Amino acid sequence: MPCAKCGTFYGWSVETDLIDRMRQGMRDRGVAAMVVTPGADLRFLADYDAKALERLTALVIPATGSSVLIAPQLEEGEARESGFGHAGGRVVTWTETEDPFSIVATIVDETGPGALAVDDHMWAQRVLRLREVLPEREQVLAGAIISEVRQRKTSAEVEHLQHAASAIESVHARVPDIIKVGMTEAEAGRLIAEAIIDAGHVSVDFVIVASGPNGANPHHAVSDRVIESGDPIVVDIGGTMPSGYRSDCTRTYVMGEASEDFLQAYAVLQAAQESAVGFVAPGRTCEAIDAHARDLMTTYMFEETPLSEYFIHRIGHGIGLESHEEPYLVAGNTDPVESGMAFSIEPGFYVPGRFGARIEDIVVCTPDGVRNLNLSSHDLVRIPA
Ligand code: ZN
Ligand code: ZN
Ligand code: ZN
């Protein structure tokens, strides 16, 4: 589907240099053909947002020759309406009594020798059926091949991520009017979910409203805890836009007045987050960006403990057609970031039994530095209580 906002596809077209770059990756790894079933990879490669149902839909991409989209006969219309179908890509349908896996096998066997790459999220049942119909073919994961291309966003993809970032920020702008003392996290979460849809998303991916001590659990969703005066609240929200691109943004709020120790720790976190964003540039490694924020937080002692010891997760993850995708910015990942990569910068601190805080932006590495897609302030947001 084209983006509702700018009317463009995300730069996808059949047999673009994008697919050629992927084919290079296939040849480098001795892969004869790639089979991609419904999910983010299929959406990326065929602009087809197919439902993952029991009947096989699969895009077969040979290392040489034309790609084929295999679809059940009753979904022929949808397959032909996909970007792949629209651009004249070959669609082959199968009837209720045919075996789609033998159709895949026939196409793959026309490609010559080599391994069969299957998408990382393919159902095990399908992987094993492909093994039955193509017993001579070594199976490998397609994820690394596709990710090499998916990680480096085109300018059209960056614009879709910008639309997503702006949409989720408009939701954060409404949060101070939504959250009230006496409300449960779940009640606040329902209202925020409605606001995510109102802001132009087609679906809500997650809503975290982590108040008071719940803020110490980074992946807390919502609970029946009643929000109290003095609570810091971590609000981390995201959804999917009509283009398929995702939003993900965290801001931290406080009901009324925060304690002095929280305010001091928050100021350190804010400085570390902003410094890490500014540190992003082509060639800096994923782990160096993570360490940059962590080191700044090490110098501040929260009671007897360096604040960095309460920063218990990686600093960020890639984002695109999935909320979490490569690159992962974590200690041990020595890959350099490159121009076009889009990822979160989201340090936090989580003090068990007390509170937590996180600040999250989505940034894009540019040829000469970084572009932050989130423009709103990182200051702690006080909600009158
Ligand atoms: Zn757009
Ligand atoms: Zn998030
Ligand atoms: Zn995130």
Side-chain angles (χ1 to χ4, degrees), residues 2-10 156-157 159-161 163-164 243 245:
C3 168
K5 219 156 182 173
C6 64
T8 65
F9 287 90
Y10 51 82
E157 291 183 281
E159 286 320 296
H160 296 331
L161 284 167
H163 299 150
S243 60
Y245 286 80

Side-chain angles (χ1 to χ4, degrees), residues 56 99-106 125-127 129-130 133-134:
L56 183 74
D99 175 20
F101 291 92
S102 49
I103 299 174
V104 173
T106 304
Q125 175 254 356
R126 287 175 181 167
V127 176
R129 281 287 290 128
L130 287 172
V133 296
L134 292 162

Side-chain angles (χ1 to χ4, degrees), residues 203-224:
S203 61
V204 176
D205 294 328
F206 53 89
V207 175
I208 294 175
V209 180
S211 66
N214 288 340
N217 306 324
H219 272 178
H220 179 80
V222 295
S223 75
D224 290 332

Side-chain angles (χ1 to χ4, degrees), residues 46-115:
D47 190 32
Y48 189 21
D49 186 20
K51 300 271 171 297
L53 298 172
E54 75 283 9
R55 292 183 182 90
L56 183 74
T57 292
L59 180 68
V60 183
I61 303 172
T64 53
S66 303
S67 305
V68 182
L69 180 59
I70 293 164
Q73 190 182 39
L74 77 169
E75 290 170 18
E76 181 174 358
E78 287 77 14
R80 292 199 186 281
E81 278 307 301
S82 69
F84 179 88
H86 247 286
R90 189 174 154 218
V91 176
V92 170
T93 60
W94 56 277
T95 64
E96 292 286 55
T97 54
E98 283 178 294
D99 175 20
F101 291 92
S102 49
I103 299 174
V104 173
T106 304
I107 296 167
V108 171
D109 275 336
E110 284 165 6
T111 65

Side-chain angles (χ1 to χ4, degrees), residues 13-333:
S13 69
V14 173
E15 310 302 311
T16 56
D17 60 333
L18 179 146
I19 293 205
D20 280 343
R21 276 166 60 198
M22 220 173 42
R23 288 205 161 110
Q24 189 57 50
M26 290 166 70
R27 285 192 289 269
D28 291 348
R29 292 171 174 81
V31 168
M34 195 150 80
V35 180
V36 180
T37 50
D41 286 335
L42 185 68
R43 192 153 188 184
F44 179 72
L45 293 169
D47 190 32
Y48 189 21
D49 186 20
K51 300 271 171 297
L53 298 172
E54 75 283 9
R55 292 183 182 90
L56 183 74
T57 292
L59 180 68
V60 183
I61 303 172
T64 53
S66 303
S67 305
V68 182
L69 180 59
I70 293 164
Q73 190 182 39
L74 77 169
E75 290 170 18
E76 181 174 358
E78 287 77 14
R80 292 199 186 281
E81 278 307 301
S82 69
F84 179 88
H86 247 286
R90 189 174 154 218
V91 176
V92 170
T93 60
W94 56 277
T95 64
E96 292 286 55
T97 54
E98 283 178 294
D99 175 20
F101 291 92
S102 49
I103 299 174
V104 173
T106 304
I107 296 167
V108 171
D109 275 336
E110 284 165 6
T111 65
L116 181 72
V118 298
D119 75 82
D120 285 18
H121 301 288
M122 187 181 286
W123 295 357
Q125 175 254 356
R126 287 175 181 167
V127 176
L128 295 182
R129 281 287 290 128
L130 287 172
R131 196 170 291 176
E132 276 173 25
V133 296
L134 292 162
E136 309 298 317
R137 302 267 175 187
E138 184 197 355
Q139 291 184 340
V140 297
L141 289 173
I145 301 168
I146 301 172
S147 178
E148 267 180 19
V149 181
R150 266 182 62 186
Q151 281 188 70
R152 298 172 184 85
K153 270 64 181 176
T154 63
S155 56
E157 291 183 281
V158 170
E159 286 320 296
H160 296 331
L161 284 167
Q162 176 67 74
H163 299 150
S166 302
I168 206 69
E169 281 195 320
S170 76
V171 178
H172 272 297
R174 292 179 59 189
V175 164
D177 295 324
I178 290 175
I179 299 184
K180 302 208 162 26
V181 164
M183 195 179 252
T184 66
E185 292 174 351
E187 286 164 346
R190 271 194 295 278
L191 295 170
I192 291 169
E194 280 174 25
I196 291 173
I197 298 299
D198 289 349
H201 296 86
V202 292
S203 61
V204 176
D205 294 328
F206 53 89
V207 175
I208 294 175
V209 180
S211 66
N214 288 340
N217 306 324
H219 272 178
H220 179 80
V222 295
S223 75
D224 290 332
R225 183 179 184 278
V226 175
I227 292 163
E228 298 169 8
S229 181
D231 280 349
I233 308 180
V234 178
V235 177
D236 185 355
I237 50 182
T240 303
M241 296 294 281
S243 60
Y245 286 80
R246 309 286 182 113
S247 63
D248 182 4
C249 185
T250 311
R251 292 292 181 264
T252 300
Y253 299 81
V254 63
M255 304 306 292
E257 292 305 317
S259 61
E260 193 54 37
D261 57 352
F262 181 85
L263 289 175
Q264 284 181 15
Y266 188 87
V268 174
L269 174 68
Q270 182 172 349
Q273 196 271 350
E274 290 172 358
S275 185
V277 169
F279 187 71
V280 172
R284 294 254 157 87
T285 65
C286 289
E287 67 174 5
I289 296 167
D290 177 273
H292 183 85
R294 219 169 282 280
D295 290 349
L296 289 170
M297 291 170 67
T298 303
T299 54
Y300 178 78
M301 299 300 282
F302 182 84
E303 290 161 0
E304 313 281 78
T305 310
L307 191 61
S308 56
E309 288 195 20
Y310 295 114
F311 175 18
I312 56 173
H313 55 71
R314 65 186 177 215
I315 198 170
H317 55 83
I319 185 167
L321 290 167
E322 290 174 285
S323 310
H324 289 188
E325 58 181 53
E326 292 192 80
Y328 294 104
L329 288 85
V330 62
N333 185 353

